[in-house]
Amino acid sequence: MVQRVMMPSEDEVGPGPRRDLLLALHELYRDAGYPGLRPLADEIDKNEDERALGRPGREGIAALLRGASTSAPEWANMQALVWTLAKHSHRRPDGDVEVSRFHALWLAVDAYAAASAGGDGWVDDPAAYARPLPDGLRDRSLRAQDLVKLYHQGEFAVLPTAASAALWPPDKDSASLVETALPFALSQYEERRPLLARVVLNAGALTRHHGHLERELVYAHRPQDREQVRQFCLAHLPHDVLWEELKAYSGPGDNPDYPRNLRARYLTDIITHRNATDLAALLAHLARKVPGYAGDDKTYDDIALHSLYRALAEHSDVQALSELLAVLAEEPDADHGPDLSQHLWGEIARARSPLAPLLSALRENGQAWQTTSILRRTLTIDVMGSRRNDLELVDELSQAGLAEDADTAAFMSQLTEVVHLLASTHTRTGGPTRTDILKRWGYL
C-alpha cells in the first residue's frame, strides 16, 4: 500500500494563503488517486512531454505536500507537480488551466510572505487593512484568540484584516465593540505582543468606531495610544466613513445650527494629514455622493462638500494646495474632473488671502494657466458683492512680482466696472441683470 502524505492540521499551517494553496494541492493529489512519491518523482524527471519546469525529487514532493516552506515554495517545482498530478486526475482537467489556477494561489502566498518579511511596516500600512480575508478565514466567525493564534503562526499579513473582522464589524454598536477590543489590545502589551496591540488599535482607527475608541483611551490614561489612533485615522480613514462623519458635522438630524467650528477643525485636521493624490481622490469620491452639487448649501450633503472645498481653499498649505490643483488638472476624474477644479478655483478666489503666494506656487509648478482661472473668478465675486478689494489685490500681486497676474487682475477690475455700468443701465430699461451678463460672457 502506498503511503500518502497527510494534509497538515491548522496547528501546523494556519488559515491564510499557504493553507489555501495546500488545500488545493491536496484536492488534486486526492483526485489523482494518491500516487506514490517515488513514481511521481520519476515521471517528473523523465518529463516526456517537456512541460514540467522543475525536477522535485521524492523528498521535494513530500515537502510541497506538507507545506514545509514558510514562504512561497519554488514555483518551478510546484508547477511540475501540479502538471503531473493533473494528468492522473480522474477529472481530466486541462493542465494549463490547472497550472494557471495554482499560479494565482502561489502568487498570493508570495505576496503575503513578502509582506510578513518586510519588518513591521505592514502594521501601519492602510492597504493591509483593506485586503480581503483568505478563503480559509472568510467563512469563519473570528474571535480575539484567533488573532493570537495567527500572530504565533507568523501570519502577520493576515492579521490586519482578521483584526477588523474579529473586533470591528461596522454594523455593531461602538460602545460594546470598544468594551471588548480595547482590553484585549492593552493586554497584548503585557503579553509582549505590542505589534498585535497596534494592529487592533489601527483596525479600529479605520472604522466609524474610532471616536469612541479615542475617548476610552483617554479615560484609560493611554495618551500615546490615543494619539496613534488619531493620527492613523486622520491620514487613512476610508472615504465612505469620512463622508458620513462630514455629513454629521454638517448638521445631524434636525439641527441645522450644528457648531461650524467643529466641522472646520475636523476638516483642517483631515486635509493637513493627506497628500494631494488622496485629497483629489477624496473630492472625486464625495462629488459622486452629491451628483447635483452646485455649491449652494441646499442640503446637508451640499454643506458637507462645500465645507471641504472651503477648508481646502482657506487652510491648506500653499505648496499642498498647488499640488492638489496640479493633480486635479493632470489626473481628472472621468465624471467630475472639470467641476472639481472649478469649484476649488471659486473657493480660492473667495476665501484665500493673501492670494499671491498660491499663484506664485502654481507658476513654479508649471500651472500658470490656473492662476488666470482663479483671477477670472475674482471678477464674479466682486460683481456679486464680495468684500475683496480688487485694487488691493492688484497691489498685492504687483509687490509679489507677479506682473502678468497683476495685469489680469487689473483687467478684471475694469470688467467689473463695465458689468456694473451695463447692469445698472439695463435694470432701468428692463434689460439683463449682472448675473445675466456674467452668464452670457461665460463667467458664471
Side-chain angles (χ1 to χ4, degrees):
M1 180 177 180
V2 175
Q3 186 175 5
R4 65 188 189 215
V5 180
M6 303 302 294
M7 174 69 195
S9 68
E10 284 199 8
D11 289 333
E12 296 171 303
V13 179
R18 284 178 61 214
R19 189 164 189 84
D20 293 345
L21 177 61
L22 273 176
L23 286 169
L25 185 60
H26 273 264
E27 181 183 5
L28 185 58
Y29 180 43
R30 182 194 62 212
D31 290 348
Y34 299 113
L37 301 188
R38 192 174 299 281
L40 269 177
D42 291 342
E43 183 176 349
I44 292 173
D45 189 57
K46 290 178 182 177
N47 195 20
E48 292 181 352
D49 55 11
E50 299 182 352
R51 298 298 301 274
L53 299 179
R55 298 289 189 276
R58 179 177 178 277
E59 290 302 320
I61 294 173
L64 289 171
L65 290 167
R66 288 197 305 268
S69 174
T70 57
S71 59
E74 186 177 338
W75 168 244
N77 290 340
M78 177 64 71
Q79 182 271 351
L81 179 57
V82 169
W83 178 264
T84 305
L85 288 175
K87 291 193 295 183
H88 291 275
S89 171
H90 72 88
R91 295 183 290 109
R92 298 298 181 193
D94 182 286
D96 289 323
V97 173
E98 280 296 89
V99 167
S100 295
R101 180 168 73 95
F102 273 84
H103 190 252
L105 293 169
W106 179 86
L107 284 175
V109 176
D110 188 55
Y112 274 90
S116 300
D120 61 2
W122 55 271
V123 177
D124 297 321
D125 179 7
Y129 297 81
R131 294 190 186 107
L133 281 168
D135 292 340
L137 296 176
R138 197 169 298 152
D139 299 326
R140 288 176 50 179
S141 179
L142 294 172
R143 297 174 300 173
Q145 289 310 309
D146 293 317
L147 304 180
V148 176
K149 187 175 181 180
L150 289 170
Y151 179 89
H152 283 305
Q153 291 172 341
E155 299 287 354
F156 299 138
V158 183
L159 269 177
T161 43
S164 298
L167 299 173
W168 302 108
D171 57 341
K172 301 294 184 181
D173 175 66
S174 295
S176 61
L177 290 178
V178 173
E179 186 177 346
T180 300
L182 183 55
F184 172 75
L186 298 183
S187 71
Q188 300 312 299
Y189 289 115
E190 299 173 3
E191 298 294 335
R192 297 183 179 181
R193 293 188 286 261
L195 286 184
L196 181 53
R198 277 173 57 194
V199 167
V200 172
L201 295 177
N202 282 350
L206 298 182
T207 68
R208 67 178 184 85
H209 313 297
H210 71 88
H212 200 99
L213 175 59
E214 288 184 49
R215 286 193 295 274
E216 291 302 318
L217 283 167
V218 172
Y219 299 147
H221 305 290
R222 305 288 300 198
Q224 290 184 333
D225 289 322
R226 187 261 178 183
E227 187 61 18
Q228 171 197 321
V229 169
R230 179 177 178 273
Q231 294 295 326
F232 201 66
C233 167
L234 290 173
H236 306 298
L237 190 68
H239 294 165
D240 276 329
V241 183
L242 195 155
W243 171 242
E244 293 303 321
E245 294 195 349
L246 184 52
K247 286 198 297 182
Y249 276 115
S250 299
D254 57 357
N255 181 12
D257 298 319
Y258 197 69
R260 290 192 175 189
N261 63 321
L262 291 179
R263 183 172 71 229
R265 188 169 61 205
Y266 175 71
L267 282 169
T268 302
D269 284 341
I270 288 291
I271 63 180
T272 54
H273 281 77
R274 305 202 173 207
N275 60 37
T277 300
D278 188 59
L279 286 173
L282 175 61
L283 281 175
H285 180 85
L286 300 191
R288 297 186 193 101
K289 301 286 187 180
V290 194
Y293 173 71
D296 53 7
D297 292 3
K298 288 183 179 178
T299 69
Y300 288 140
D301 285 3
D302 288 324
I303 292 172
L305 186 53
H306 182 63
S307 298
L308 178 57
Y309 280 115
R310 178 172 295 175
L312 286 166
E314 290 183 350
H315 303 297
S316 292
D317 173 81
V318 167
Q319 191 58 40
L321 186 53
S322 68
E323 289 175 3
L324 172 59
L325 287 166
V327 170
L328 290 175
E330 293 169 7
E331 302 175 16
D333 176 70
D335 299 319
H336 302 93
D339 290 341
L340 298 179
S341 295
Q342 289 170 16
H343 288 312
L344 192 50
W345 290 335
E347 286 303 321
I348 291 169
R350 181 179 294 108
R352 191 82 186 183
S353 182
L355 194 56
L358 176 61
L359 301 188
S360 295
L362 284 170
R363 288 189 172 277
E364 291 173 2
N365 288 347
Q367 300 287 318
W369 63 274
Q370 295 208 52
T371 68
T372 303
S373 297
I374 293 169
L375 289 171
R376 284 184 61 195
R377 281 151 182 81
T378 64
L379 166 64
T380 305
I381 293 165
D382 284 338
V383 171
M384 301 308 292
S386 168
R387 294 180 181 177
R388 185 187 287 281
N389 186 309
D390 49 357
L391 295 180
E392 288 182 358
L393 176 60
V394 173
D395 186 54
E396 173 196 330
L397 298 177
S398 297
Q399 291 185 11
L402 299 173
E404 186 176 342
D405 290 328
D407 186 63
T408 300
F411 178 68
M412 294 300 171
S413 176
Q414 293 171 358
L415 275 181
T416 301
E417 296 180 9
V418 172
V419 172
H420 275 299
L421 180 61
L422 287 174
S424 60
T425 302
H426 287 305
T427 299
R428 291 194 299 270
T429 60
T433 64
R434 289 179 298 182
T435 301
D436 294 331
I437 295 170
L438 287 170
K439 285 182 177 179
R440 185 178 301 172
W441 289 0
Y443 287 100
L444 281 179

